[in-house]
Amino acid sequence: QVQLVESGGGLVQAGGSLRLSCAASGRTFRDYAMGWFRQAPGKEREFVAAISRSGDSTYYADSVKGRFTISRDNAKNTVHLQMNNLKPEDTAVYSCAARYWGLAGTANEYNYWGQGTQVTVSS
């Protein structure tokens, strides 16, 4: 059982930056790969980024490569998403997710989800 709580969303101008955080509960946090997904109004959920258990491997959607960075601190049970050079099309609710053992880029492969945090990018 893993509980996830996101924070750090907000309103930012195009070209600006935000850093999202995900706080995870549980003694076995190190056994889970972590991912970030987003969903805009009227659109399907979209994969953003994922990170392996140790943090040695990362995986990004083509739309965010070079702009977003995922990281984790297993000592603090936290995962972060640094978002730079934000664009209006990045506007969405961003959710943190956990998957036992191996990382994945498909939403239905993840076991646990946070409630999400709103990111709005103005033009």
Side-chain angles (χ1 to χ4, degrees):
Q1 181 71 21
V2 178
Q3 293 177 320
L4 306 172
V5 181
E6 303 95 335
S7 62
L11 175 65
V12 65
Q13 293 183 344
S17 299
L18 284 174
R19 191 187 193 216
L20 305 183
S21 297
C22 175
S25 67
R27 190 175 176 179
T28 59
F29 176 71
R30 292 174 177 82
D31 292 337
Y32 292 83
M34 303 296 297
W36 286 95
F37 292 79
R38 66 188 182 186
Q39 187 168 25
K43 296 186 178 181
E44 298 297 315
R45 184 187 293 110
E46 178 187 24
F47 169 77
V48 176
I51 189 166
S52 63
R53 291 172 289 116
S54 67
D56 289 339
S57 298
T58 57
Y59 176 39
Y60 297 93
D62 289 341
S63 60
V64 305
K65 285 181 179 178
R67 299 189 298 122
F68 291 9
T69 302
I70 187 171
S71 62
R72 69 189 295 163
D73 185 342
N74 286 345
K76 296 182 178 180
N77 282 13
T78 56
V79 181
H80 304 281
L81 184 69
Q82 179 66 46
M83 305 186 294
N84 297 327
N85 191 25
L86 284 161
K87 304 174 181 179
E89 51 262 44
D90 294 320
T91 296
V93 173
Y94 285 71
S95 298
C96 179
R99 181 178 188 270
Y100 186 71
W101 211 247
L103 59 77
T106 304
N108 61 13
E109 295 180 281
Y110 285 78
N111 307 112
Y112 303 101
W113 295 81
Q115 292 193 47
T117 185
Q118 177 71 47
V119 172
T120 302
V121 184
S122 62
S123 61

